[in-house]
């Protein structure tokens, strides 16, 4: 069951729930031992989830619910615009911008909007919609909260490896770590079952924080089966990517996952991808390797890893969320 981690003065874990196809498994809440400091518990839970699953959901995370609602509202308002207005921020040579693809096999449209969020030096506002008018303000405020949450999670994961709290954050470039959002818009598809098996992948970057809509679609692969990540109101889904797996020398899992379409309902998702600065050398921390535990991965400049991985992708492996 995909773990759910909560920051709470009561030290209470919310139900850990995942919905399989035609089957529900639910673990009841349980109260932690009173003597455990809250921070220590969070480190343990996040570390365990990352080692065993490579994915977990975070609640009570500090991002205001109203801000998350506004993020979803402005995202949907953009996709509701006439096609000509959306094309004003159309993708050109780079990956940023609006893109609309027709998926012939399932007779459905895949639309998405991709743009950088941080650091300020890499933002190109020509790919940020001017309509709805509040789009920029909402996304900039969301980015501030998302960065705080990301650094908090990276701190817990660093301590879980026995490293200094800022180890992972610094290894991604500190304030120069790159944050990119992709807003995905999937209208209902009458042939949604044909999309199963598409877009099986791991995330190239370090960590992904995803806000889903109420319509389920994200699936993770564990114990030789695909499992649906059940929607939890206001939760953020955290996905461990390739670079954290490599930095931890394999302790943290880069979870294999995919997306599905829905026959009757619109599905939208808001993943934020966090990646190292492109010129950084990424590989296992020396503190985590030795004679009895040699490096499992070669240290590679991140931009080279990125280009090599994308070059190896085929159409059926293109990430969907």
């Amino acid at each position: 069951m995909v773990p759910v981690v909560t920051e709470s003065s009561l030290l209470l874990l919310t139900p850990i729930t995942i919905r399989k196809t035609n089957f529900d498994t639910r673990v009841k809440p349980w109260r932690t031992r009173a003597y455990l400091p809250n921070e220590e518990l969070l480190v343990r839970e996040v570390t365990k989830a990352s080692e065993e699953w490579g994915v977990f959901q975070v609640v009570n995370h500090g991002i205001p619910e109203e801000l998350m609602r506004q993020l979803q509202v402005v995202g949907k308002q953009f996709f509701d615009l006439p096609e000509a207005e959306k094309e004003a921020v159309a993708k050109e040579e780079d990956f940023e911008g609006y893109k609309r693809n027709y998926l012939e096999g399932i007779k459905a449209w895949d639309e998405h909007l991709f743009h950088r969020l941080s650091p300020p030096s890499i933002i190109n506002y020509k790919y940020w919609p001017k309509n709805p008018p509040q789009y920029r303000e909402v996304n900039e405020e969301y980015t501030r909260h998302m960065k705080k949450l990301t650094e908090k999670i990276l701190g817990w994961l660093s301590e879980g490896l026995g490293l200094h709290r800022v180890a992972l954050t610094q290894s991604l470039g500190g304030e120069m770590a790159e944050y990119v959002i992709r807003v995905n818009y999937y209208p209902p598809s009458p042939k949604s079952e044909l999309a199963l098996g598409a877009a099986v992948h791991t995330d190239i970057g370090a960590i992904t924080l995803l806000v889903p809509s109420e319509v389920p679609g994200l699936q993770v692969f564990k114990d030789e089966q695909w499992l649906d990540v059940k929607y939890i109101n206001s939760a953020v889904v955290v996905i461990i990517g390739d670079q954290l797996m490599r930095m931890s020398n394999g302790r943290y899992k880069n979870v294999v996952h995919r997306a599905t379409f829905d026959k009757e309902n619109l599905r939208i998702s808001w993943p934020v991808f966090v990646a190292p600065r492109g010129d950084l050398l990424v590989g296992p921390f020396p503190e985590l390797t030795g004679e009895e535990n040699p490096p499992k991965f070669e240290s590679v400049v991140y931009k080279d890893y990125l280009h090599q991985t994308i070059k190896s992708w085929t159409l059926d492996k293109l990430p969907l969320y």
Side-chain angles (χ1 to χ4, degrees), residues 99 101-103 106 108-112 114 182-186 192 194-203 208 210 217-219 226 239 256-261 267-271 273 313-321:
K99 182 73 173 179
N101 297 315
Y102 185 67
L103 306 177
I106 60 173
W109 288 97
D110 156 35
E111 296 183 62
H112 64 262
F114 224 148
R182 171 172 168 149
V183 188
N184 299 295
Y185 182 92
Y186 299 116
S192 62
L194 297 181
L196 293 176
V200 176
H201 68 287
T202 60
D203 285 352
T208 302
L210 179 147
L218 178 63
Q219 295 184 325
W226 286 102
I239 299 170
V256 176
H257 54 288
R258 68 182 185 186
T260 61
F261 289 75
R267 179 174 176 265
I268 312 179
S269 64
W270 290 260
F273 303 97
W313 277 348
T314 56
L315 182 61
D316 65 339
K317 290 186 177 180
L318 293 178
L320 300 174
Y321 284 88

Side-chain angles (χ1 to χ4, degrees), residues 5 14 24 28 32 61-63 66 70 72 89 94 114 133-134 141 144 147 150-151 167 174 178 180 194 203 286 315:
V5 179
T14 58
D24 285 327
K28 296 180 180 180
T32 61
H61 40 62
I63 302 178
E66 177 59 21
Q70 291 176 7
Q72 295 172 314
V89 292
D94 200 359
F114 224 148
Q134 65 273 33
E141 180 66 15
R144 285 190 282 272
K147 290 181 67 175
T150 301
E151 290 177 4
E178 298 190 3
V180 180
L194 297 181
D203 285 352
L315 182 61

Side-chain angles (χ1 to χ4, degrees), residues 187-261:
S189 170
K191 295 188 177 182
S192 62
E193 69 279 358
L194 297 181
L196 293 176
V200 176
H201 68 287
T202 60
D203 285 352
I204 299 177
I207 193 169
T208 302
L209 289 85
L210 179 147
V211 172
S213 62
E214 294 183 11
V215 179
L218 178 63
Q219 295 184 325
V220 299
F221 191 72
K222 191 176 191 299
D223 299 329
E224 303 302 317
Q225 59 184 325
W226 286 102
L227 303 171
D228 293 334
V229 180
K230 186 173 181 179
Y231 173 78
I232 297 175
N233 184 40
S234 299
V236 174
V237 181
V238 180
I239 299 170
I240 301 298
D242 293 355
Q243 305 317 309
L244 287 195
M245 182 265 294
R246 299 175 69 246
M247 289 178 178
S248 68
N249 204 32
R251 274 191 60 182
Y252 294 150
K253 288 187 176 181
N254 57 338
V255 65
V256 176
H257 54 288
R258 68 182 185 186
T260 61
F261 289 75

